[in-house]
Amino acid sequence: MAAFELREHTADVAVEAHGEHLGATFAAVADGLAAAMCNDWPAADAPDGGERADLRVVAENPEAAMYDYLDQLIYERDVRSVLPVDNEASVDGNGEWVVDASYRGVPLSAVTAREVKAVTYSEMRVERVDGGWEAYVVFDV
């Protein structure tokens, strides 16, 4: 089970997430990003509930993988005009860090969304803790 919390941050918004495995933690941060952009979105079976889409990123370390993954979700929002929700991810850290992920893309026309401009490296951490993984990410709003 993974979870996230939005945290107060000066002029930005931060997400702190925990998961049993690294993929669940990545997905929880992505869900936090979606929550920072929009409080409510349609259920998957709603008329404007959106369709699932896949993405993959490859990076040299866990922080770079997190950054690239979240940056790709913001890109998906900007280019496809969707809010990426119900995120799922698996992360393989064998030499290079590969994130295979999917999300449900809710059309932006179906929600009232706030802009999150970018993910930042400011204060970012991705680390193994007792019982799983923890991440902290700051977004520029």
Side-chain angles (χ1 to χ4, degrees):
M1 181 74 173
F4 70 86
E5 290 183 47
L6 296 179
R7 300 287 187 178
E8 293 294 325
H9 194 276
T10 308
D12 294 321
V13 64
V15 174
E16 183 175 32
H18 310 270
E20 292 179 22
H21 54 84
L22 191 53
T25 305
F26 272 55
V29 172
D31 286 342
L33 170 61
M37 289 190 275
C38 180
N39 293 332
D40 297 308
W41 49 79
D45 59 355
D48 287 334
E51 296 181 12
R52 292 213 66 85
D54 299 319
L55 63 90
R56 173 179 257 217
V57 298
V58 180
E60 65 275 3
N61 60 55
E63 290 80 11
M66 178 70 79
Y67 181 94
D68 291 348
Y69 170 53
L70 298 169
D71 189 53
Q72 182 66 39
L73 291 174
I74 292 170
Y75 175 83
E76 296 287 312
R77 179 207 61 200
D78 292 345
V79 170
R80 295 191 53 227
S81 296
V82 296
L83 178 68
V85 301
D86 299 337
N87 294 277
E88 297 176 1
S90 66
V91 181
D92 180 15
N94 191 10
E96 59 186 5
W97 294 81
V98 178
V99 180
D100 286 307
S102 69
Y103 65 88
R104 181 168 56 92
V106 174
L108 289 178
S109 61
V111 296
T112 302
R114 297 176 294 277
E115 183 176 7
V116 171
K117 296 176 190 172
V119 60
T120 73
Y121 273 113
S122 172
E123 301 178 52
M124 180 185 287
R125 64 181 164 74
V126 178
E127 58 192 12
R128 185 181 296 275
V129 296
D130 288 341
W133 287 85
E134 183 175 280
Y136 183 84
V137 179
V138 176
F139 296 99
D140 181 17
V141 294

